[in-house]
């Protein structure tokens, strides 16, 4: 019970990520009038936070290795709250952009350190579910932001509240993290064995800690490797995890998920839904499907396994993207427009049981301890950079090629992801982080 509570607090970083991801499109409808922003400047307001997230992710690994996961999450919460408040009171475009940079940077850090911390405090047999609390919060934050956006869309200053309310989960995260212990493997790595043992006892209250203490000892032995330089990340031992981590980071974005998350109402309206409110309703429905299927993934990841869920999800995404492209090319309208909504919902459902959670889970599992922070950092930088690339090119692609062909491009990317996963992604279910490291190292030695 205590453990669940801990994970619920520690996962809140995901809520910051999801809420801000979702809220900006609604807020932008007002901001663009208040500050007279043209299309390019609107793009800048959105993209600058994504770019800042990539920069935040670049620092997250080094900082969380040096100062600890907990301290970094505490500082991140403060930066996030500051950024949300600055954005909310912004009286000029530069101030607004400053707020967006602070918020984006904090999200970039949290998006990496949250799954890292969760993976290090979780027992191996529950790690899939525990790390996926992060993805659950992301999806919940997105739906929450749709709701807030809808409720506040009437008053002229509603956008200030939309952005400012993001401070609340930041405050809860800060207060919550004050009460939580530092990650035991990190403490052990710093030679603080007694603190590590204490943290473990606290985390596993009520259950047997003997096995966990043995794991901890192995982590302590790995301590000497902790100061490994960046070059270690490119050594043969970490090469396969690096290819898998960065590869999945890019594939998670270039298969198009955020075109739906950021532009769903536009997609639905263009598909012929009768009114803006029908489009908003359909968007909310798709958001809920995302949350519910993420909960299903949490149940299945430690039972069915990561690899099988990822492959199943990818096949589903491929089929639904082709259906979606086909629907657009056939020009479905009227009642048939709902076929488009159903395809989008099914596509999101398949993302939510596979590529969504499995990417964040695997990057927290596959890197050797000595370079885990930096390996995750690199994968997270790639994820945010490609998120930005896809978001800023989507409308141009639609304009240049049409909706059908654009979604066929994402389908082709999904096929590539499927092939990549089939040949490269290992199963990590139920294994301790040390076992995974030893197994991947063994394979590297065999192929070196
Ligand atoms: C992705 C985000 C995406 C979200 C949607 C996450 O795993 O990294 O880019 O917006 O899933 O649920």
């Amino acid at each position: 019970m205590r453990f669940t509570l801990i994970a619920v607090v520690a996962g809140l970083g995901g809520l910051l990520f999801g809420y801000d991801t979702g809220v900006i499109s609604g807020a932008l409808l007002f901001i663009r009038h208040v500050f007279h922003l043209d299309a390019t400047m609107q793009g800048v307001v959105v993209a600058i936070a994504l770019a800042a997230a990539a920069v935040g992710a670049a620092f997250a690994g080094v900082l969380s290795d040096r100062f600890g996961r907990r301290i970094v999450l505490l500082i991140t919460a403060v930066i996030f709250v500051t950024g949300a408040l600055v954005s909310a009171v912004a009286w000029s475009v530069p101030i607004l952009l400053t707020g967006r940079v602070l918020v984006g940077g904090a999200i970039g850090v949290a998006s990496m350190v949250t799954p890292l911390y969760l993976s290090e405090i979780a027992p191996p047999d529950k790690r899939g579910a525990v790390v996926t609390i992060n993805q659950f919060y992301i999806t919940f934050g997105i739906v929450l932001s749709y709701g807030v956006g809808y409720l506040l869309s009437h008053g002229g200053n509603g956008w200030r509240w939309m952005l400012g309310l993001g401070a609340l989960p930041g405050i809860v995260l800060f207060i919550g993290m004050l009460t939580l212990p530092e990650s035991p493997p990190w403490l052990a790595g710093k030679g603080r064995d007694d603190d590590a043992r204490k943290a473990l006892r606290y985390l596993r209250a009520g259950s047997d800690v003997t096995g966990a203490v043995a794991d901890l000892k192995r982590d302590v032995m790995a301590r000497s490797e902790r100061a490994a330089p960046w070059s270690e990340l490119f050594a043969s031992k970490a090469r396969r995890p690096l290819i898998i981590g960065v590869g999945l980071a890019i594939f998670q974005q270039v298969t198009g998920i955020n075109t739906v998350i950021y532009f769903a109402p536009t997609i639905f309206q263009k598909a012929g839904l009768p009114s803006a409110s029908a489009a908003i309703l359909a968007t909310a429905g798709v958001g809920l499907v995302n949350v519910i299927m993420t909960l299903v993934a949490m149940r299945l990841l430690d039972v069915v396994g990561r690899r099988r869920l990822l492959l199943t999800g990818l096949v589903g995404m491929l089929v639904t993207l082709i259906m979606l492209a086909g629907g657009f090319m056939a020009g479905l309208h009227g009642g048939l427009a709902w076929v488009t909504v159903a395809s989008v919902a099914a596509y999101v459902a398949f993302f939510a049981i596979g590529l969504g959670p499995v990417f964040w889970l695997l990057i927290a599992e596959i890197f050797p301890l000595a370079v885990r922070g930096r390996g995750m950092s690199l994968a997270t930088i790639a994820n945010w950079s490609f998120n930005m690339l896809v978001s800023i090119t989507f409308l141009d692609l639609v304009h240049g090629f049409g909706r059908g062909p654009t979604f066929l491009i994402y389908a082709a990317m999904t096929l590539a992801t499927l092939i990549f996963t089939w040949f490269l992604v290992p199963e990590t279910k139920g294994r301790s982080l040390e076992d995974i490291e030893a197994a991947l190292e063994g394979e590297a030695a065999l192929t070196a």
Side-chain angles (χ1 to χ4, degrees):
M1 189 59 207
R2 174 189 284 180
F3 181 73
T4 314
L5 264 177
I6 291 171
V8 164
V9 172
L12 272 172
L15 192 60
L16 312 182
F17 178 160
Y19 182 81
D20 197 70
T21 297
V23 87
I24 190 64
S25 51
L28 206 57
L29 297 177
F30 301 92
I31 293 175
R32 67 179 174 209
H33 291 306
V34 176
F35 295 113
H36 310 291
L37 303 178
D38 59 13
T40 312
M41 273 313 286
Q42 290 176 46
V44 170
V45 170
V46 175
I48 201 167
L50 301 174
V55 175
F59 288 102
V62 178
L63 293 178
S64 63
D65 278 350
R66 177 157 321 156
F67 301 108
R69 287 59 166 130
R70 182 173 167 268
I71 297 291
V72 171
L73 280 174
L74 279 168
I75 296 171
T76 304
V78 174
I79 298 176
F80 186 85
V81 172
T82 313
L85 297 178
V86 169
S87 313
V89 301
W91 57 89
S92 69
V93 175
I95 305 283
L96 178 68
L97 293 179
T98 307
R100 298 287 300 150
V101 165
L102 290 173
V103 165
I107 292 176
V109 176
S111 68
M112 189 225 112
V113 183
T114 304
L116 173 63
Y117 180 79
L118 289 174
S119 75
E120 289 181 341
I121 64 169
D125 61 331
K126 298 202 182 75
R127 200 175 51 240
V130 171
V131 176
T132 304
I133 287 177
N134 177 53
Q135 177 73 12
F136 164 74
Y137 270 121
I138 295 175
T139 59
F140 180 67
I142 292 171
V143 173
L144 198 66
S145 73
Y146 290 161
V148 170
Y150 181 71
L151 290 176
L152 294 174
S153 62
H154 301 299
N157 269 335
W159 66 273
R160 294 192 184 274
W161 284 99
M162 290 180 206
L163 299 182
L165 280 174
L168 283 183
I171 294 171
V172 179
L173 175 66
F174 182 83
I175 296 172
M177 284 311 292
L178 280 180
T179 65
L180 295 193
E182 183 49 89
S183 138
W186 183 83
L187 287 167
K190 289 283 169 192
R192 293 165 55 184
D193 301 4
D194 278 348
D195 289 342
R197 208 175 289 269
K198 254 186 249 157
L200 254 187
R201 285 222 185 86
Y202 178 82
L203 287 165
R204 309 278 154 88
S207 59
D208 184 13
V209 282
T210 339
V213 171
D215 279 351
L216 179 66
K217 278 192 187 139
R218 271 190 282 170
D219 280 326
V220 173
M221 283 165 65
R223 167 173 77 214
S224 51
E225 289 182 50
R226 277 217 137 265
W230 271 95
S231 57
E232 184 96 350
L233 191 54
F234 302 95
S236 67
K237 189 169 131 183
R239 204 171 298 143
R240 176 146 176 238
L242 192 63
I243 293 171
I244 298 170
V246 173
L248 284 181
I250 296 172
F251 284 130
Q252 199 209 33
Q253 295 299 327
V254 296
T255 45
I257 186 64
N258 285 317
T259 65
V260 171
I261 302 291
Y262 300 164
F263 300 102
T266 316
I267 296 176
F268 291 149
Q269 258 186 326
K270 291 266 159 47
L273 283 196
S275 62
S277 56
I280 290 172
L281 196 70
T283 305
V286 169
L288 275 181
V289 167
N290 198 7
V291 176
I292 292 166
M293 292 310 283
T294 304
L295 287 172
V296 172
M298 279 170 78
R299 288 233 147 246
L300 295 181
L301 280 163
D302 293 312
V303 185
V304 176
R306 288 64 160 146
R307 194 180 142 86
R308 218 186 298 168
L309 274 179
L310 182 54
L311 289 169
T312 312
L314 286 168
V315 171
M317 283 168 67
L318 181 60
V319 172
T320 48
L321 278 170
I322 293 174
M323 280 171 55
L324 192 59
F328 279 127
M329 285 164 159
L332 298 181
H333 260 82
L336 284 178
W338 289 98
V339 174
T340 306
V341 178
S343 312
V344 170
Y347 161 75
V348 169
F350 284 115
F351 174 87
I353 59 156
L355 198 51
V358 174
F359 159 65
W360 293 108
L361 175 56
L362 279 180
I363 61 164
E365 295 185 324
I366 54 175
F367 287 104
L369 179 68
V371 291
R372 193 173 295 152
R374 276 162 282 185
M376 285 185 79
S377 245
L378 220 55
T380 310
I381 297 170
N383 191 262
W384 284 107
S385 307
F386 279 81
N387 184 338
M388 187 170 78
L389 188 78
V390 172
S391 312
I392 57 181
T393 53
F394 174 63
L395 293 178
D396 287 335
L397 283 178
V398 167
H399 198 69
F401 298 113
R403 279 182 294 278
T406 300
F407 281 98
L408 276 186
I409 297 177
Y410 303 134
M413 293 297 170
T414 309
L415 184 61
T417 315
L418 199 54
I419 297 168
F420 178 90
T421 302
W422 181 266
F423 286 108
L424 281 175
V425 175
E427 184 51 80
T428 51
K429 174 188 93 174
R431 297 156 82 182
S432 73
L433 295 176
E434 296 73 32
D435 280 354
I436 298 170
E437 178 169 345
L440 286 174
E441 221 172 275
E443 283 172 35
L446 282 180
T447 51

